[in-house]
Amino acid sequence: MTDTVKQSEVNDAIWAACDTFRGVVDAGSYKDYILVALFLKYVTDVWNDHRAAYAREFADLPEDQRDIRIERRMRNERFQLPVIEIKDEAGAVVDRFRASFDSLKARKDRANIGELFNIVLEHIEDANKKKLDGVFRNIDFNSESNLGKPKDRARRLRHLIDDFSKPALDLRPSRVSEDVIGEAYIYLISKFASDAGKKAGEFYTPSAVSALLARLAAPGPGQTVCDPACGSGSLLIRAAEQVPADGTGRRDVALFGQEVNGQTWALARMNMFLHGADAADIRWCDTLNDPQLIAQDGALSTFDVVVANPPFSLDKWGADAAPDDQFKRYWRADGAIPPKSKGDYAFITHMIEIARRRAGRVAVVVPHGVLFRAGAEGKIREALIRENLLDAVIGLPANMFTTTGIPVAILVFDRRREQGGPLEDRSDVLFIDASREFEPGKTVNVMTEAHANRIIETFASREAQERYSHLATLEEIAENDFNLNIPRYVDTFEAEEEIDVAGVQKEIAGIEAELDAVRAKMAACLKELGVDA
C-alpha cells in the first residue's frame, strides 16, 4: 500500500463537499447525504481497485478466461455492486450500469439524478442484505423537502458528485488506508455535531470523552463490548481501539450496540464498515422498552464491557411498564423505579444487568443530578453502593458537550467486586474531581490527552491526591446519606492568601500623602492662572 495521503487532506476535502448543502439544508439532515455519499464512494473505489488488481493478475489469460476469473474473485468482495437494468414501460432495457458512484458520475447531468441515486442504493442494499438491510431506507436523494425542487435538486447532487470526484477523495485501498477513511467519517460526525448544536446529542459523544470512557473500561483481547445507546457508534470504535491489533491490523474484540433512532443506527452501521468492524452487531431498537440483544435462553445477552453516553434525564422512558419488565432490570431498592421524567437510572441498571456477573465492567456518562437526587433515585443509588458495585465517580469539566453546558460525571461499576468476584474485598469508592482539568476552546472546553492521562493514572493507582482525588469508605458514604456529590469527598477549597493589614494600611497612608501633594500642586497652578479653586 502506498498510503501517502494525510488525514487532514481527506478531512478537508470531504468537509468542503458540505458547501453544497450549507444554508439550504440543516446539518441534522445534510449529514446523511454526505455520509452516505462517502460510503458509496468508498465501496466503489475498493471495488475498482480490487478489480484492477485481478485484471493485472490474470493479464496473460485469454480475454474470456480472464473475465471469468475476475468475476469469480469479485463475488468474494465485502460488498457486492450489482448490475442494474432500467426498463421502459414495454419492458425494454433502456439503460444498463453497475450500482456504483462511477455510474452516477457518468449520469450526473440527468434531470432524474436523485432518483438514480436511490436506485443505486436500493440495489446495493438488496445485494448485501445481511450487512446493509435497512441502512439506506431513511435516506431519499430525490426528496423535494430536503433538497429542493427538481432543477435545484439536480444541481446540488451534481455538485456533490463533482466534490467526491476530486483527486483528494480517491479512496482506493492502494492509496488510502482504511484507518484514514474511518477517521474521516468520525471527523465528519463531530463537525456535524458542532453545526447541529443541541440536536447532535443523539448521535455523537465528544472524542475526548469517548476515548476516556474506553480507557476506563479497558476491554481486552477476546472480550465483548456493548453500547446500549450507541448513537453513531464512535464510542464502540474507541473501545475497540483499546485492544491491540494483530499483524493484519484486526482486533480480537466483538462489538454490540443498540440505537433507537433509525437514521442514527444507519450511521453506526456505516461507521462500523468504514472501520473494518463488519461483524459488529448493531440493533435498531428501544433499549429500555424492547431490547434486541437477547441470548438463546431468552435472557438479556451479557458482555465483558458496557459503555454508554445515554440521553440525559430522558423523559417518558417507559416507567409505567418498568415494574413488569420481563428482564427484571429494575428490581433494586424494594421495587424503586426511576422517575418517569428521568431515565438516567433506567439506563444505569440496564447496563449493570447486561455486564457479566462477577466479571463485567460498566462506564457511563451521567448528569450530576444522578449523584445526589433523592426519592427513588436515592434508593437505587444506595442499593447499588451497598451491593458493592460502584467503583469510581469522576467529575468532568463543564461545557464539554455541544448539547449542554452542564458539568457531567462518569460512573464506573465493576461486577468483579460482587460476592464471589475477584475484587470482592474492594469496598471503597474512588472520587476524582477533574472539573478544572481542561483547555478553553472556541465553543466548548477541551480535555487534553494530559488531562485524560492523569485521570487514568489516578484511577489505576486509586491514590488520594490533594484537591483532586479521594478514596471513600462505605461508612463515609453512608454518613453522607449515600450522596455522591463530589465536593463532599474531594475538598477543592483553596485558602485565600493572607492579607497583611498593617502593610495595606501603610500603603494607603502613602497613597493619601501623594494625593495631598498632587492636590496642593494643582491648587498652586490654578492660583497662578487666576482661577479660584
Side-chain angles (χ1 to χ4, degrees):
M1 178 182 295
T2 57
D3 184 15
T4 60
V5 181
K6 294 181 180 179
Q7 183 73 61
S8 59
E9 293 176 2
V10 177
N11 291 355
D12 292 345
I14 298 175
W15 186 239
C18 298
D19 287 338
T20 296
F21 300 106
R22 290 193 187 99
V24 179
V25 184
D26 67 80
S29 296
Y30 77 68
K31 74 177 191 303
D32 299 317
Y33 297 103
I34 295 293
L35 293 172
V36 168
L38 172 60
F39 182 77
L40 178 59
K41 182 63 162 60
Y42 166 69
V43 296
T44 298
D45 286 352
V46 170
W47 177 278
N48 291 338
D49 208 31
H50 290 176
R51 191 178 189 91
Y54 297 143
R56 291 191 297 271
E57 181 180 348
F58 303 125
D60 295 336
L61 295 177
E63 182 177 353
D64 57 341
Q65 294 183 31
R66 182 174 67 244
D67 291 344
I68 291 173
R69 292 285 189 90
I70 292 173
E71 289 304 318
R72 285 177 180 172
R73 289 287 186 90
M74 296 306 293
R75 292 189 195 119
N76 296 321
E77 285 293 289
R78 285 172 64 198
F79 296 99
Q80 292 298 307
L81 304 184
V83 172
I84 300 172
E85 291 185 345
I86 305 295
K87 299 180 180 180
D88 60 17
E89 293 182 358
V93 176
V94 295
D95 197 5
R96 190 174 188 274
F97 55 90
R98 190 169 297 280
S100 70
F101 178 87
D102 290 347
S103 296
L104 292 172
K105 180 181 178 181
R107 294 160 178 77
K108 68 178 184 178
D109 293 322
R110 295 189 183 181
N112 69 333
I113 185 63
E115 181 182 357
L116 292 175
F117 254 105
N118 288 346
I119 290 172
V120 165
L121 294 174
E122 180 183 355
H123 278 76
I124 292 177
E125 184 175 319
D126 287 343
N128 301 274
K129 277 287 187 184
K130 288 185 178 180
K131 290 184 175 180
L132 296 177
D133 189 25
V135 169
F136 303 126
R137 73 177 65 175
N138 290 313
I139 183 75
D140 182 5
F141 278 83
N142 207 36
S143 169
E144 183 170 312
S145 60
N146 280 339
L147 300 178
K149 294 183 178 180
K151 187 174 181 180
D152 292 331
R153 181 164 67 249
R155 175 176 54 81
R156 291 183 183 115
L157 293 177
R158 185 170 65 251
H159 289 325
L160 180 67
I161 291 171
D162 288 341
D163 285 333
F164 274 91
S165 300
K166 292 177 179 177
L169 291 181
D170 177 352
L171 304 179
R172 289 173 298 154
S174 58
R175 178 178 179 272
V176 184
S177 74
E178 193 173 66
D179 288 342
V180 169
I181 298 168
E183 287 307 300
Y185 190 86
I186 290 181
Y187 166 80
L188 278 177
I189 291 174
S190 70
K191 295 288 283 185
F192 291 137
S194 178
D195 275 10
K198 290 187 179 298
K199 297 178 181 179
E202 67 185 23
F203 64 83
Y204 182 70
T205 300
S207 59
V209 177
S210 293
L212 179 60
L213 270 179
R215 293 176 69 185
L216 289 167
Q223 293 194 326
T224 55
V225 182
C226 179
D227 183 345
C230 70
S232 56
S234 298
L235 176 51
L236 281 172
I237 296 297
R238 295 299 176 226
E241 290 172 349
Q242 297 303 305
V243 178
D246 61 20
T248 67
R250 300 300 174 187
R251 292 177 167 86
D252 182 17
V253 60
L255 304 181
F256 300 82
Q258 295 182 142
E259 170 54 39
V260 69
N261 182 290
Q263 287 178 290
T264 307
W265 167 82
L267 297 184
R269 295 293 298 136
M270 288 187 283
N271 200 0
M272 296 301 118
F273 297 135
L274 291 175
H275 282 87
D278 293 23
D281 187 350
I282 311 296
R283 304 293 180 92
W284 177 9
C285 64
D286 183 337
T287 293
L288 298 182
N289 294 286
D290 187 25
Q292 295 297 304
L293 292 172
I294 307 298
Q296 289 185 345
D297 61 0
L300 290 170
S301 296
T302 57
F303 308 92
D304 298 299
V305 170
V306 185
V307 291
N309 172 30
F312 293 165
S313 302
L314 182 65
D315 191 14
K316 300 175 183 177
W317 60 270
D320 292 340
D324 300 318
D325 177 53
Q326 70 179 99
F327 304 109
K328 305 187 187 309
R329 289 170 287 177
Y330 315 109
W331 55 265
R332 289 178 168 80
D334 297 324
I337 300 298
K340 292 181 180 181
S341 60
K342 293 180 176 63
D344 301 302
Y345 272 101
F347 279 105
I348 290 171
T349 55
H350 170 83
M351 293 174 72
I352 291 172
E353 287 300 312
I354 64 173
R356 294 194 193 282
R357 287 180 61 82
R358 295 186 288 278
R361 302 177 301 286
V362 173
V364 55
V365 181
V366 297
H368 272 224
V370 167
L371 306 180
F372 56 77
R373 288 192 297 248
E377 291 183 299
K379 293 179 180 178
I380 297 171
R381 184 171 59 247
E382 178 179 347
L384 294 175
I385 295 169
R386 289 194 181 279
E387 290 171 33
N388 198 32
L389 295 174
L390 182 62
D391 196 52
V393 180
I394 303 167
L396 301 184
N399 197 34
M400 285 191 65
F401 290 73
T402 58
T403 54
T404 178
I406 65 171
V408 299
I410 294 175
L411 297 182
V412 180
F413 298 92
D414 198 330
R415 298 202 66 164
R416 293 175 298 179
R417 295 169 55 122
E418 59 192 351
Q419 188 173 6
L423 297 180
E424 66 175 328
D425 292 335
R426 180 185 290 179
S427 59
D428 47 33
V429 176
L430 177 66
F431 287 81
I432 298 176
D433 186 350
S435 60
R436 295 169 297 170
E437 304 276 311
F438 65 90
E439 294 290 341
K442 291 182 179 180
T443 57
V444 295
N445 292 327
V446 178
M447 177 185 294
T448 67
E449 186 173 357
H451 297 140
N453 287 342
R454 186 182 183 190
I455 292 174
I456 295 299
E457 290 166 6
T458 305
F459 177 73
S461 67
R462 298 185 74 80
E463 291 181 352
Q465 300 178 34
E466 187 176 1
R467 291 194 292 274
Y468 186 74
S469 62
H470 175 74
L471 206 55
T473 64
L474 174 60
E475 291 73 23
E476 186 178 356
I477 296 174
E479 287 175 4
N480 279 297
D481 295 323
F482 297 92
N483 185 318
L484 299 178
N485 203 16
I486 297 171
R488 288 179 176 245
Y489 304 92
V490 182
D491 183 5
T492 59
F493 175 77
E494 295 187 18
E496 296 183 3
E497 185 179 346
E498 288 189 12
I499 299 174
D500 182 358
V501 178
V504 172
Q505 286 286 76
K506 186 177 180 179
E507 185 178 352
I508 292 173
I511 293 173
E512 288 179 341
E514 291 178 9
L515 184 58
D516 288 342
V518 171
R519 284 172 175 164
K521 189 175 182 179
M522 179 67 75
C525 290
L526 292 174
K527 186 175 182 180
E528 288 181 9
L529 294 172
V531 178
D532 186 4

